[in-house]
Amino acid sequence: MYPCSVCCAKKAETELPNDELWQLYRTAYEQYQSEIRNGEKAYSRYVNDFYYYHLPCASNREADIRLHVMRVCTLKELLEERRDLVDAFFAKDCFEEKDCRRMDELFNTAKNLNEPEHVYLAHFSEEQIRLITKFAETTSLFNPAATEDDIRNLFECQLQQPLQATVNRHVALFFGKLREHGLLPHSWQMIMEDCKLVASSATNKPLRASQLRCGLSQARYANLRKKPNSNIPDEEQGFYDTCETFINSLKESL
């Protein structure tokens, strides 16, 4: 009996394993290693045996049965239609859950294995997008104010045209703070330049990575120099502190 079936048998009859899809992938991988790489079966026989063996469902709940059948049939389609993915991932000496997720993504989106992955700044939940949008509006980060769709598309790098910064260094500081707290990739400045995500407040041209670095340095320098009797505007210190407070609360919602 294969691992997935053993696990299913041990679970209550009315409950599917939470990680059933991963278990099915893992079982298909192990059968591939044993039956295809070792030449024990023809590929079509391997696919059909996997399908017939795992199609029955131990649960007596209609919703669970439908979900289980959908998963098994989907995997059968993948095995039959995407031999390129199967040979690339199942021939590996080690098959991990991240490989399962990647195979599933490539199959569901009909993408090729070597097709470049979509570049993005971050994936935030709908609630986090709402919070960021409200923050951007309250602090006048962009002009005109950005909508939730704008903010979502900004982080997904799918803007049709860049958002315009109200103050360049404020934009640089905000995104720099996101990176500082581990919410953006290391290359966030180059991603923003390449995808033309934010335009300069002065020229309306997309900000370059060098401008973002310069703006971030200026904002940090202004904050470090801020003293009670300095001539640095109070709003510089206020925006720095506001960013820090907001991003700490944003992290708590992750």
Side-chain angles (χ1 to χ4, degrees):
M1 186 177 289
Y2 292 106
C4 178
S5 302
V6 172
C7 182
C8 288
K10 290 182 179 179
K11 299 284 284 185
E13 285 193 349
T14 57
E15 184 180 355
L16 289 178
N18 292 330
D19 60 347
E20 187 193 33
L21 184 62
W22 157 237
Q23 291 188 36
L24 288 169
Y25 266 90
R26 177 71 188 183
T27 302
Y29 164 77
E30 291 174 352
Q31 286 185 233
Y32 180 95
Q33 288 278 315
S34 172
E35 299 172 355
I36 301 302
R37 295 199 72 181
N38 294 335
E40 293 183 3
K41 289 183 180 178
Y43 187 81
S44 60
R45 184 72 270 150
Y46 149 73
V47 173
N48 286 327
D49 284 352
F50 174 86
Y51 172 71
Y52 296 139
Y53 189 88
H54 292 284
L55 186 60
C57 180
S59 176
N60 56 14
R61 295 175 55 192
E62 181 179 351
D64 284 351
I65 294 172
R66 289 179 181 276
L67 183 59
H68 172 78
V69 170
M70 181 185 72
R71 287 169 174 167
V72 174
C73 290
T74 297
L75 191 46
K76 180 177 184 286
E77 289 179 29
L78 185 151
L79 295 175
E80 290 176 333
E81 299 175 12
R82 294 302 304 269
R83 183 71 186 267
D84 59 323
L85 298 180
V86 176
D87 289 342
F89 285 93
F90 283 3
K92 297 170 64 174
D93 292 334
C94 179
F95 185 73
E96 301 177 352
E97 195 165 357
K98 64 180 181 180
D99 298 313
C100 162
R101 292 194 298 268
R102 181 65 176 145
M103 283 185 73
D104 198 53
E105 177 192 1
L106 290 170
F107 177 62
N108 288 330
T109 58
K111 291 182 179 179
N112 295 324
L113 180 60
N114 296 320
E115 187 173 331
E117 294 187 50
H118 174 67
V119 176
Y120 63 90
L121 276 175
H123 294 308
F124 288 114
S125 68
E126 291 302 310
E127 174 62 15
Q128 290 164 338
I129 291 294
R130 186 188 68 79
L131 292 173
I132 295 171
T133 304
K134 184 174 179 59
F135 171 84
E137 179 181 2
T138 302
T139 58
S140 299
L141 198 61
F142 302 109
N143 183 30
T147 65
E148 290 187 18
D149 284 341
D150 291 333
I151 295 297
R152 184 183 303 103
N153 290 333
L154 183 151
F155 285 104
E156 295 289 342
C157 299
Q158 294 181 343
L159 284 172
Q160 297 300 311
Q161 58 183 20
L163 303 180
Q164 184 165 17
T166 303
V167 180
N168 290 350
R169 61 181 177 276
H170 284 185
V171 169
L173 177 60
F174 175 67
F175 284 92
K177 278 291 182 184
L178 288 174
R179 167 57 195 166
E180 186 178 310
H181 286 268
L183 300 179
L184 296 185
H186 178 73
S187 57
W188 66 272
Q189 294 158 339
M190 283 304 305
I191 293 175
M192 291 185 71
E193 175 181 331
D194 292 342
C195 297
K196 299 178 173 58
L197 299 181
V198 179
S200 168
S201 58
T203 66
N204 203 28
K205 294 181 179 179
L207 288 171
R208 300 188 302 274
S210 58
Q211 292 174 297
L212 290 166
R213 285 193 294 270
C214 181
L216 183 58
S217 296
Q218 289 175 347
R220 285 174 172 168
Y221 182 62
N223 179 71
L224 291 173
R225 289 183 57 227
K226 179 61 182 170
K227 297 177 182 178
N229 297 324
S230 74
N231 59 0
I232 298 173
D234 289 339
E235 58 265 25
E236 287 296 327
Q237 176 71 26
F239 186 77
Y240 188 96
D241 292 341
T242 299
C243 277
E244 183 69 25
T245 301
F246 170 74
I247 293 171
N248 280 326
S249 65
L250 185 67
K251 288 182 67 177
E252 292 176 0
S253 66
L254 290 175

